[in-house]
């Protein structure tokens, strides 16, 4: 499917009689476009074989093997389906004669199907539409939200809590339902964040869905000899349908009759150029032959009738779509990182739990009690708030991206672009505008560059020359394309044109440079016209002159440059007609080669003022007889056209490269065009050479070139097919700048896989159906929102609503930023785990009254600290992240040992000290000296003891002790909060000093800190809190106790950062930079 | 901040005051449940009372260096100077075990349990420097007002629920000079360091005619101006105890 290009019918091959200089892409004829942009290959025969083999492989080779490999487990059913697929691929409908076809489908090429029979077939085959890829049911989507790495951790923790609660109940200990609350809180967190995530994805799905064309497509069908307009999904195999310019082909159609019908296969193959459809079978492969028009391709011009041979999912498009659905989605890098992080957490939790289990047993706790301790410690290690933080951070970024027109389907994909190290980009429609545009002109022996930007904002060339005026006249007059009426207010590049792609380009070009072309044509009345045909390979028209006193006729002609040149005797230079001698022919050749080398389609233009004596006004020109001169004309110039790159692309590619991302072009289009576009957008940078370039520069055979010298490499599908996957990997390693041309959907898939094998995280951009398998396979598939086909959008993870490749750069930037900021958020969130855990450890081992309660911990995790940790997502980048290399997924982890160790055992330890200092202060000030506290637990917690003596001999009832315990909780809570304020400030940066980053630049973070303080105050001082949530109003000075620790944390981290900045690569840097 | 703490006087007492009212023996689930015929079943209560009252034996209060013979009848607070050890330890008022009469355990070593007339001893939790203020309010229950003395913190025990009133029967109070309460001369308390042998005033309460074989809930309440009660802390200024005495 990918490279249905040079359909090598004998006619076409023979039309390539002229041997062309190497590297030259020429259009020797305007039609058929399939021969435009001919490849540089030694002989047409080679090419023929090459593609024949290729197609055969496509039909049943690579694709089936691939899927079989993937689906070995889903045995029988899938296999059967594949068998069917294979069989269907063997269709020979294009080779059948019309009569056989009628017989096969019991239809008639004149009257169409019988409606009743059509109804039956419809029942048998189902409607003619692509089954939407088995949409994941909503409940599965929701369930997926509940089953991530962190979520699983929380589920396990909740289960442990319930077990611990069960054990406690079993022991008859009903005093504390903390474990139950904890379990409920854990489950609630998972479910609430699950709902949140689900809602986010639901919203973006809706945005994408809104892009789908909901208007049912209509088709003209002939049944029982009458024409009907019916919904395209009602069509069945055997239906006789009519298509005309502007229609979408409603199914796979075998063409029966055609009048200049051309279709746009770009979404299928990546070719920008229109393809002719005609009744003759030109190739034995159904994909190559010209007499089959494919479902969902666009008919650009002309009309055709045909018989439907495949409908719905059995069409080529349907099969590619199903190929995409056979590809497994890759796990997002962030999911992998979170799993890695969960491993670390779980490991530490079990280590700590185990250690203290042993300690508890040694101290002499009963086994079950020790078990409960073990579980409590394991659970205390679970960062309850992290899940919410991560989800909110990701969705914030998703929102930010959505504002920049990147819609993310899966929240986790937000980060993926940031990790991306290779972008495999489709060319047509992604890098280019998918629209032929005049790019260069050659006249007065000079190549002029036309403006190819989308909005015509570029520089124009010098238009003062007389030659230009003549050339312009030819361009305007010798053109049959016209604007669809009623578009006067539409900017020229956006207007809809009826006509072939090159004529459209020329029409728009002259409309822009000259003004109203339609009116201009009115003034030069057309007297005669010869449209393009494949024998003449030129187009000619004869016009009256504008000036009524000038009786001459003007003959204008355009066509394949060498054909035009043959017919010229003179050449116009600066308005002067000079004889066309060898020197000028040489100049012509050079210009022709230059333009061809740019991958452009070149046309030649010439004119002749007819002798007024011989051809007076009113002369009857006969286009059949050609009773006028068609040689000895005056050559005016060459104009070349290309599907130009989008204006923003070169800059975006440049930015990607500075960001260390390799941009690879993978296209279905011709190598030369691909290479030219690659060079113009910077995928192949200036000065980079391919092996062939080096060979031709050094004038040595290709084999003798040291391949490692060639930075760039253009590989076409044919070469790719012969390569083992190791070779491909080798090539990818060898040449940093790669262009893959004429690739099939499967090959795109293989390329993506090879890049992934190299350890790269691969983004694929594309718009066509042919890209969809690769989009799915990629770590992140990016589809175009406007130009993109539904199949591509379905397979993609991210959609660029404005089709702007530059949005990818934004995505990369945001992705990298969120990765860095998530790191900070996680570091912040993890830190407080230790001051939350140590009270319990001390409680178990030293038997002090419990310093920090479970509900209080939940408040820290899920209430006060959420906002600050989320606010870190708003932190600006510390350095120019777009100048760094993409992270190495194996080395640069989201959570590494340094982060965990530093957060837990350094900052976390300081926070614990703060908490305990404050705790002991509060206890001592109320009458319980620290030494007394040790070992106090049994008495303290005995609710029958109403007269426990403190250090002063005062007697406390159980209730009084309980409130004192709550006071301690609150004091510890405030200590953690105060330290966390300091913590959030230090987490603003990992390397820079906070002063360099700006203390208050992140407004959200400042608000978050204020919010955190207010919430802390509220929890402490709101009446009723003591009995509901165990918060007690505490004395002001207990807020101050942790302050020195907060300052210590700040200074400590500044010292760390200073060391990291001063001594990069040192032990300090390695151990303390996270 | 830890170092600013005085050994003699707590910085804050907002958690420990107003003080709790405690009963001896210490009971589980605030329930005194025993069978008259089975000495084992009330052994733990007797044990608890014995242990607690040991400190109140006269031989424990012999030293005149430590103990002060205060008035035998309720009197005003005795202030013993600042809360520091500038003058060494502070003296402590004696409290005679005999004052508890039937519940002193001297005459009846089972504190009335053997007869199904259980005694409990009531004490006010120690709070350093705390000077309990007797109630002024005229709205006190009549029974309390009857024995009013301006230097006594009155305690009154009655059925928790009105309808149980007849099940409780008469309640005997044994305290200093027959007052059902805590005399003020024992206050304020100067703390463990200054008064290591401090004896808080006690009040014994004997239930002489409790209904057997049923649960009887009794609440004892201390009245005073600076005495508070709390719904959450059932032992602040009052306590509740449930009697379940089996006659057989």
């Amino acid at each position: 499917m990918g490279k249905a290009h040079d359909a090598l019918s004998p006619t076409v091959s023979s039309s390539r009689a002229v041997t062309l200089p190497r590297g030259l892409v020429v259009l020797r004829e305007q039609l058929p476009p399939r021969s435009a942009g001919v490849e540089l290959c030694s002989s047409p025969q080679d090419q023929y074989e090459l593609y024949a083999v290729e197609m055969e492989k496509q039909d049943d080779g690579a694709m089936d093997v691939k899927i079989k490999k993937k689906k070995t487990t889903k045995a029988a059913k899938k296999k059967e389906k594949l068998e069917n697929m294979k069989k269907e691929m063997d269709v020979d409908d294009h080779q059948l004669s019309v009569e056989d076809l009628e017989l096969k489908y019991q239809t008639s090429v004149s009257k169409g199907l019988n409606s009743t029979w059509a109804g039956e077939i419809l029942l048998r085959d189902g409607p003619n539409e692509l089954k939407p890829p088995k949409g994941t049911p909503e409940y599965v989507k929701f369930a997926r939200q509940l089953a991530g790495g962190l979520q699983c951790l929380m589920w396990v923790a909740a289960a442990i809590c319930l077990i611990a609660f069960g054990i406690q109940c079993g022991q008859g200990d009903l005093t504390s339902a903390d474990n139950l609350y904890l379990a409920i809180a854990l489950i609630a967190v998972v479910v609430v964040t699950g709902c949140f995530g689900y809602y986010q994805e639901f919203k973006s799905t809706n945005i994408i869905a809104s892009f789908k064309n909901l208007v049912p497509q209509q088709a003209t069908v002939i049944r029982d000899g009458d024409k009907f307009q019916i919904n395209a999904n009602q069509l069945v195999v055997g239906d006789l349908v009519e298509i005309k310019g502007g229609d979408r082909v409603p199914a796979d159609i075998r063409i029966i009759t055609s009048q200049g019908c051309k279709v746009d296969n770009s979404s299928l193959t990546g070719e920008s150029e229109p393809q002719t459809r005609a009744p003759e079978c030109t190739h034995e492969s159904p994909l190559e032959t010209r007499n089959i028009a494919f479902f969902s391709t666009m008919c650009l011009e002309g009309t055709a009738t045909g018989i439907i041979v495949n409908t719905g999912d059995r069409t080529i498009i349907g099969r590619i779509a199903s190929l995409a659905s056979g590809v497994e989605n890759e796990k997002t890098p962030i999911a992998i990182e979170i799993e890695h992080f969960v491993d670390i957490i779980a490991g530490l939790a079990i280590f700590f739990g185990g250690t203290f289990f042993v300690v508890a047993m040694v101290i002499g706790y009963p086994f079950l009690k020790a078990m409960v301790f073990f579980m409590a410690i394991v659970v205390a290690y679970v960062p309850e708030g992290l899940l919410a933080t991560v989800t909110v951070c990701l969705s914030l970024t998703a929102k930010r991206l959505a504002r920049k027109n990147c819609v993310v389907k899966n929240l986790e994909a937000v980060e993926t672009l940031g990790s991306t190290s290779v972008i495999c980009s489709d060319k047509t429609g992604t890098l280019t505008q998918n629209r032929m545009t005049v790019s260069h002109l050659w006249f007065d022996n000079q190549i002029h560059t036309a403006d190819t930007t989308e909005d015509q904002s570029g520089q124009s060339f010098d238009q003062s020359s007389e030659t230009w005026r003549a050339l312009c006249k030819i361009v305007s007059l010798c053109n049959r394309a016209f604007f669809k009426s009623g578009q006067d207010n539409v900017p020229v590049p956006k207007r809809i044109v009826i006509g072939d792609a090159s004529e459209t380009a020329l029409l728009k070009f002259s409309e822009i440079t000259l003004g109203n072309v339609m009116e201009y044509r009115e003034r030069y009345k057309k007297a005669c016209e010869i449209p393009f045909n494949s024998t003449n390979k030129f187009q000619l028209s004869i016009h009256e002159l504008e000036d009524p006193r000038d009786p001459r006729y003007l003959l204008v002609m355009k066509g394949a440059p060498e054909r035009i040149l043959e017919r010229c005797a003179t050449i116009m230079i600066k308005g002067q007609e000079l004889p066309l001698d060898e020197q000028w022919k040489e100049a012509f050749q050079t210009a022709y080669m230059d333009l061809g080398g740019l991958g452009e389609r070149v046309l030649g233009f010439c004119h002749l003022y007819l002798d007024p004596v011989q051809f007076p006004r009113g002369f009857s020109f006969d286009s059949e007889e050609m009773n006028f001169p068609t040689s000895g004309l005056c050559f005016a110039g060459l104009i070349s056209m290309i599907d130009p790159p989008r204006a923003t692309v070169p800059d975006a590619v440049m930015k990607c490269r500075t960001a260390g991302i390799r941009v690879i072009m993978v296209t279905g289009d011709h190598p030369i065009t691909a290479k030219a576009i690659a060079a113009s957008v910077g995928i192949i940078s200036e000065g980079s050479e391919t092996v062939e370039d080096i060979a031709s520069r050094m004038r040595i055979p290709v084999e003798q070139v040291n391949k490692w010298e060639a930075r760039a490499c253009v590989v076409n599908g044919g070469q790719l097919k012969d390569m083992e996957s190791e070779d491909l990997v080798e090539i990818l390693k060898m040449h940093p700048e790669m262009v893959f041309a004429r690739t099939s959907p499967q090959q795109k898939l293989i390329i993506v896989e090879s890049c992934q094998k190299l350890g790269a995280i691969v983004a694929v951009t594309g718009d066509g159906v042919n890209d969809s398998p690769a989009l799915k396979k990629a770590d992140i598939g990016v589809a175009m929102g406007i130009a993109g086909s539904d199949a591509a959008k379905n397979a993609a993870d991210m959609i660029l609503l404005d089709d702007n490749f530059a949005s990818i750069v934004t995505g990369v930037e945001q992705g990298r930023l969120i990765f860095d900021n998530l790191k900070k958020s996680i570091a912040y969130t993890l830190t407080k785990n230790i001051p939350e855990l140590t009270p319990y450890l001390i409680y178990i081992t030293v038997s002090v009254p419990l310093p920090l309660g479970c509900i209080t911990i939940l408040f820290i995790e899920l209430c006060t600290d959420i906002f600050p940790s989320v606010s870190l997502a708003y932190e600006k980048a510390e350095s120019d992240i777009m100048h760094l290399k993409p992270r190495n997924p194996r080395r640069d982890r989201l959570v590494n040992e340094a982060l965990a160790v530093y957060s837990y055992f350094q900052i976390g330890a300081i926070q614990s000290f703060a908490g305990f200092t404050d705790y002991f202060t509060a206890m001592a000030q109320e009458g319980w000296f620290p030494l007394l506290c040790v070992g106090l637990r049994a008495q303290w917690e005995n609710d029958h003891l109403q007269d426990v003596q403190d250090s002063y001999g005062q007697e406390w009832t159980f209730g009084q002790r309980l409130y004192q315990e709550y006071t301690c909780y609150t004091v510890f809570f405030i200590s953690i909060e105060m330290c966390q304020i300091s913590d959030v400030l230090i987490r603003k940066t990992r390397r820079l000093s906070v002063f360099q980053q700006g203390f208050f630049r992140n407004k959200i973070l400042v608000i978050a800190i204020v919010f955190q303080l207010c919430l802390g105050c509220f929890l402490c001082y709101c009446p009723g809190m003591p009995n509901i949530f165990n918060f007690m109003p505490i004395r002001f000075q207990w807020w101050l106790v942790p302050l020195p620790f907060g300052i210590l944390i700040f200074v400590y981290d500044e010292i760390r950062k200073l060391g990291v900045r001063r001594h990069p690569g040192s032990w300090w840097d390695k151990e303390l930079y996270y | 901040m830890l170092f600013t703490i005085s050994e003699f006087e707590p910085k804050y007492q907002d958690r420990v005051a107003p003080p709790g009212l405690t009963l001896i023996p210490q009971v589980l689930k605030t329930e005194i449940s025993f069978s008259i015929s089975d000495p084992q079943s009330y052994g733990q209560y007797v044990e608890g009372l014995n242990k607690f009252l040991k400190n109140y034996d006269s031989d424990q209060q012999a030293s005149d260096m430590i103990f002060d013979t205060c008035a035998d009848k309720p009197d005003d607070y005795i202030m013993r100077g600042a809360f520091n050890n500038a003058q060494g330890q502070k003296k402590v008022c004696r409290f005679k075990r005999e004052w508890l009469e039937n519940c002193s355990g001297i005459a009846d070593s089972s504190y009335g349990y053997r007869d199904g007339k259980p005694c409990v001893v009531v004490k006010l939790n120690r709070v350093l420097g705390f000077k309990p203020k007797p109630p002024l309010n005229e709205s006190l229950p009549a029974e309390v007002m009857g024995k009013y003395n301006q230097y006594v913190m009155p305690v009154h025990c009655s059925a928790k629920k009105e309808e149980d009133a007849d099940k409780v029967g008469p309640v005997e109070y044994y305290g200093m000079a027959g007052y059902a309460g805590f005399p003020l001369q024992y206050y304020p308390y100067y703390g463990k360091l200054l008064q290591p042998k401090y004896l808080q005033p006690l009040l014994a309460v004997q239930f002489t005619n409790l209904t057997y074989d049923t649960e009887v809930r009794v609440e004892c309440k201390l009245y005073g101006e600076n005495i508070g009660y709390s719904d959450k802390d059932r032992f602040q200024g009052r306590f509740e105890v449930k009697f379940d005495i089996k006659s057989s």
Side-chain angles (χ1 to χ4, degrees), chain A residues 405 528 664 822 886 950 991 1034 1046:
Chain A
N405 288 320
C528 175
I664 294 176
L822 263 185
D950 67 11
R991 178 180 286 272
I1034 60 163

Side-chain angles (χ1 to χ4, degrees), chain A residues 873-911:
Chain A
Y874 289 93
E875 202 54 51
K876 297 269 174 305
E878 275 175 70
S879 53
D880 197 343
I881 40 177
M882 292 307 280
H883 281 105
L884 301 174
K885 280 207 160 1
R887 75 185 177 91
N888 178 336
R890 259 174 254 118
R891 213 180 46 234
D892 309 328
R893 311 305 304 246
L894 182 64
V895 175
N896 49 22
E897 277 69 23
L899 184 148
V901 167
Y902 182 69
S903 298
Y904 276 147
F905 301 119
Q906 301 189 42
I907 302 300
I910 298 177
Q911 293 198 351

Side-chain angles (χ1 to χ4, degrees), chain A residues 228 291 377 443 455 469 487 699 728 784 803 947 1020:
Chain A
F228 294 100
N291 60 354
I377 291 169
F443 58 84
D455 51 359
R469 229 164 281 161
Q487 301 189 88
R699 294 175 197 287
L728 180 56
M784 299 291 145
D803 285 15
D947 52 357
C1020 285

Side-chain angles (χ1 to χ4, degrees), chain A residues 924-926 929 944-947 950-957 960 963-964 967 1027 1032 1035 1037, chain B residues 1 5-7 10-16 18 26 28 123 125-126 128 191-192 200 232-233 235:
Chain A
Q925 291 196 334
E926 292 284 0
F929 293 173
H944 307 311
L945 280 180
Q946 303 299 338
D947 52 357
D950 67 11
S951 305
Y952 297 98
Q954 306 183 97
E955 293 171 327
W956 295 62
T957 64
Q960 288 166 339
Y963 282 123
Q964 175 60 24
T967 307
N1027 299 320
M1032 294 291 284
R1035 289 170 196 285
Q1037 69 259 37
Chain B
M1 216 171 280
I5 285 163
S6 152
E7 281 179 90
K11 187 112 178 170
Y12 305 110
Q13 296 182 300
D14 51 342
R15 295 276 163 255
V16 73
Q26 195 200 100
L28 290 175
K123 73 170 161 85
N125 274 356
R126 300 176 190 188
L128 194 140
K192 199 154 83 173
Q200 65 225 89
K232 297 288 163 192
D233 183 1
F235 287 85

Side-chain angles (χ1 to χ4, degrees), chain B residues 7-67:
Chain B
E7 281 179 90
F8 302 106
E9 194 179 10
K11 187 112 178 170
Y12 305 110
Q13 296 182 300
D14 51 342
R15 295 276 163 255
V16 73
L21 195 66
T22 335
L23 85 158
I24 295 112
Q26 195 200 100
V27 292
L28 290 175
K29 294 180 181 163
T30 70
E31 189 180 56
I32 292 180
S33 146
F34 63 94
S35 164
I36 299 167
S37 57
D38 178 11
Q40 288 244 304
S41 64
Y42 50 82
Q44 49 163 333
Y45 304 123
V46 173
E47 186 71 15
L49 282 162
N50 279 339
K51 202 172 148 198
F52 179 77
L53 290 176
K54 201 162 173 37
N55 285 334
Y56 288 81
D57 284 344
S58 40
D59 55 335
Q60 294 283 325
Q61 306 181 24
S63 166
D64 279 337
M65 287 301 291
I66 300 169
F67 292 96

